[in-house]
Amino acid sequence: MKLFRMSLWSSLMVVCFLLIATSNLVESKCAFEAIFNFGDSNTDTGGFYAAFPSQGSPYGMTYFKKPVGRPTDGRVIVDFLAQALGYPFLSPYLQSIDSDYKHGANFATSASTVLLPQTSLFVSGVSPFSLEIQLRQMKEFKVKVDELQSKGNTNLPSPDIFGKSLYTFYIGQNDFTGNLARIGISGVKQYLPKVVSQITSTIEEIYGLGGRTFLVLNLAPIGCYPMFLVELPHENSDIDQFGCLISYNNAVVDYNNMLKEALTQIRKQLSDANVVYVDTNAVLLELFQHPTSQGLKYGTKACCGQGGGAYNFNQQLFCGNTKQINGQILTATACEDPYNYVSWDGIHATEAANKFTTYAILNGSYFDPPFSLQKFCDIQPIG
């Protein structure tokens, strides 16, 4: 494990150096002229906020210095990917004001699920913008591009953009976690095959629209997030040496293996497409287990929360909120050094963790099958 940690950190630092050096030598060029992202809060760049403005002040504090609808202290993975390809941040599809879609759109919204809420086991607390709805939004976007671009709209891409784009997926975590406390792992596992099937069928539909390159990020090790360590029922024997929940992380691995196998099968059907499984779980697990080895300090402790202790997470008081509890007025505040944390608010990653994960993606060593973004694009620094 020690050799793995050294190799991971060293390889990512080499990538950082090469990316910066390369960007200074040549003009930026990229075969992918746009990014279209589908997801939940892990890659939401303001979609949910545009539909339901409500987020508190600590969000966005590191990079934007104000709330911008991202469930973290700064940038999310898709922000860094856009920067790496030399493009501006992706505008949320739901944001009608000051949006620029020349280089793609972001359909992700916080609390989104893969399955439609009414067809899954969810009863409340999820976004109406499931993956199927996000796909419908993309189809409508394509129709509008075909209709309006010829009329001189400057904030839209050309109609042929859909065959020259990178399609990214980071969704499924809410399907997995939404009912864990209520029905347990075995109950949730019963409908996870439907989740995987919906993801692969979505890829097939986008392929029919011209898409040829797909990056599908797997699920994070939820057993290491402070929120689940506090909320999910478990015995002390279920906590590993790094402070993470063994059974829940094992269940995530089972799902990720199911997803990986399904992508292998769909790859055989779409032989001229790049359908790539991205093992972000391994990257985040390394950060949670060995934060100090990667330049951070805290793994399973939230930066923004209330209560202190091992997790700094109060399930009655989410990040940025103020509430009276047991006669006391309490506020869940942010730490002053989020760059030292893996977890931002108990359930989402910090900008620092998102940046580290993006470096791993750009490195390409967490792809199955092997795939190199550097062969398609002059990768730009993501400082």
Side-chain angles (χ1 to χ4, degrees):
M1 179 59 72
K2 183 177 180 181
L3 290 176
F4 170 77
R5 296 202 301 271
M6 292 177 61
S7 174
L8 173 63
W9 184 247
S10 299
S11 63
L12 295 186
M13 289 303 98
V14 169
V15 170
C16 297
F17 173 79
L18 291 177
L19 297 185
I20 295 172
T22 302
S23 68
N24 290 330
L25 292 176
V26 296
E27 182 182 352
S28 175
K29 296 180 180 179
C30 188
F32 304 120
E33 298 180 9
I35 303 174
F36 292 99
N37 181 66
F38 303 83
D40 51 32
S41 56
N42 290 301
T43 52
D44 186 354
T45 56
F48 192 88
Y49 184 79
F52 311 103
S54 63
Q55 218 166 63
S57 59
Y59 290 86
M61 59 181 276
T62 294
Y63 184 81
F64 300 98
K65 312 302 181 185
K66 62 180 181 179
V68 287
R70 289 159 171 81
T72 182
D73 61 302
R75 292 163 288 183
V76 295
I77 291 173
V78 72
D79 287 322
F80 288 117
L81 281 177
Q83 283 186 309
L85 300 190
Y87 300 133
F89 297 144
L90 292 186
S91 291
Y93 176 78
L94 294 173
Q95 180 177 294
S96 58
I97 299 174
D98 196 33
S99 289
D100 186 340
Y101 300 111
K102 288 193 294 292
H103 296 291
N106 191 5
F107 302 98
T109 65
S110 297
S112 286
T113 54
V114 172
L115 301 178
L116 283 167
Q118 63 265 30
T119 60
S120 71
L121 300 181
F122 289 98
V123 292
S124 64
V126 297
S127 165
F129 305 107
S130 66
L131 181 58
E132 181 175 325
I133 299 301
Q134 292 180 28
L135 176 60
R136 292 181 195 176
Q137 290 173 332
M138 188 204 154
K139 290 179 178 179
E140 178 66 11
F141 179 81
K142 186 177 186 303
V143 169
K144 292 301 182 183
V145 167
D146 292 338
E147 291 179 355
L148 300 176
Q149 204 277 342
S150 61
K151 298 180 180 180
N153 288 63
T154 58
N155 67 334
L156 295 176
S158 61
D160 65 350
I161 197 75
F162 302 96
K164 305 175 183 178
S165 298
L166 181 67
Y167 295 85
T168 55
F169 295 78
Y170 197 6
I171 191 169
Q173 184 166 307
N174 294 315
D175 297 85
F176 190 95
T177 62
N179 286 279
L180 277 175
R182 187 168 65 88
I183 61 176
I185 293 174
S186 59
V188 169
K189 280 187 173 182
Q190 294 179 16
Y191 68 94
L192 290 180
K194 295 181 181 179
V195 174
V196 171
S197 178
Q198 184 66 38
I199 291 174
T200 56
S201 65
T202 301
I203 291 173
E204 288 182 287
E205 290 207 48
I206 296 175
Y207 176 88
L209 298 175
R212 289 298 181 270
T213 303
F214 306 87
L215 299 185
V216 184
L217 282 62
N218 65 7
L219 295 192
I222 61 132
C224 296
Y225 280 102
M227 175 178 175
F228 299 120
L229 284 161
V230 171
E231 291 188 349
L232 294 179
H234 62 274
E235 303 293 334
N236 289 336
S237 58
D238 198 26
I239 301 291
D240 66 18
Q241 61 179 311
F242 306 107
C244 299
L245 293 164
I246 299 170
S247 60
Y248 295 100
N249 276 350
N250 286 344
V252 169
V253 170
D254 290 341
Y255 168 83
N256 285 341
N257 287 336
M258 187 191 312
L259 175 65
K260 184 177 181 180
E261 175 57 29
L263 295 178
T264 298
Q265 297 306 315
I266 200 69
R267 198 178 299 122
K268 295 176 182 178
Q269 300 176 36
L270 311 179
S271 57
D272 62 334
N274 296 303
V275 182
V276 184
Y277 172 84
V278 186
D279 191 8
T280 48
N281 179 284
V283 182
L284 286 168
L285 188 62
E286 172 66 13
L287 284 178
F288 276 118
Q289 292 180 340
H290 307 285
T292 57
S293 297
Q294 315 306 338
L296 308 180
K297 291 183 179 180
Y298 307 103
T300 56
K301 182 177 182 179
C303 163
C304 186
Q306 193 279 325
Y311 306 127
N312 191 36
F313 182 84
N314 184 340
Q315 55 190 330
Q316 300 180 68
L317 192 60
F318 208 61
C319 173
N321 291 336
T322 297
K323 186 177 181 181
Q324 182 172 332
I325 301 176
N326 298 325
Q328 286 186 293
I329 302 297
L330 302 175
T331 301
T333 57
C335 64
E336 296 181 352
D337 57 341
Y339 49 83
N340 281 321
Y341 290 74
V342 179
S343 175
W344 161 242
D345 55 7
I347 182 58
H348 303 109
T350 57
E351 176 176 288
N354 285 328
K355 180 185 288 188
F356 192 90
T357 303
T358 307
Y359 277 135
I361 292 173
L362 297 174
N363 177 275
S365 56
Y366 293 87
F367 288 165
D368 182 67
F371 181 78
S372 175
L373 283 169
Q374 282 78 12
K375 290 183 179 180
F376 295 89
C377 304
D378 299 328
I379 303 299
Q380 303 302 298
I382 57 173

